Each structure stands twice: as structure tokens, then as C-alpha cells.
Amino acid sequence: MKRHVLSLMCAAAAVAALAGCGEKVQTGHAITGDAPAYAGTGSNFTAPGWKAGDRTSWEQETKARMLYGQNEYTRIR
């Protein structure tokens, strides 16, 4: 009887351990390339001075990022 319970517990532990190994389907809810970058994404996480849809404020924000150290190109060189 103990052997049967022990084998069931081991089987349940193995099933629980392998349950996390499956890969979830990754359907794309990404931003499509047909809208310009300055149009925004609809996210609440934007820079404080930037207005979605305004091209000049978009360009000012990207220039500010280049000046104040958020340029990835200079980081990896």
C-alpha cells in the first residue's frame, strides 16, 4: 500500500515538474510598421514632455535621449 502511494506521489511530482516545460503560443500583438513612430503606442508609459502624434516633440525627445546618455550605440562601442 505504501509503495502504491509513493509511486503515485512520484508520478504527481513528475507531472507537476513537467507542466512548466510547455511553450506558450506567442501570437503577435506587436506594433505594426504601418504607423509612424511618433504616432505613439497608446501606452501610459511615455516621456513627460512628449505628446503622441506630434512629430516635432518626438524629434525633440529623441535628440534629448542622444544628448543625455540614452544612446545605445555609444554604450556598446
Side-chain angles (χ1 to χ4, degrees):
M1 183 68 166
K2 283 186 178 182
R3 181 177 267 186
H4 183 64
V5 171
L6 182 61
S7 63
L8 282 176
M9 288 177 59
C10 288
V15 168
L18 291 175
C21 293
E23 185 174 347
K24 295 180 181 178
V25 178
Q26 298 178 2
T27 56
H29 293 290
I31 302 167
T32 58
D34 57 350
Y38 60 84
T41 61
S43 175
N44 293 331
F45 302 105
T46 58
W50 179 67
K51 297 175 229 68
D54 185 11
R55 185 177 184 153
T56 55
S57 68
W58 172 264
E59 290 173 352
Q60 288 173 352
E61 285 296 316
T62 55
K63 286 178 187 175
R65 285 181 177 217
M66 291 286 288
L67 289 174
Y68 301 121
Q70 292 184 354
N71 185 0
E72 295 296 323
Y73 182 71
T74 57
R75 284 181 166 181
I76 60 173
R77 282 180 79 196

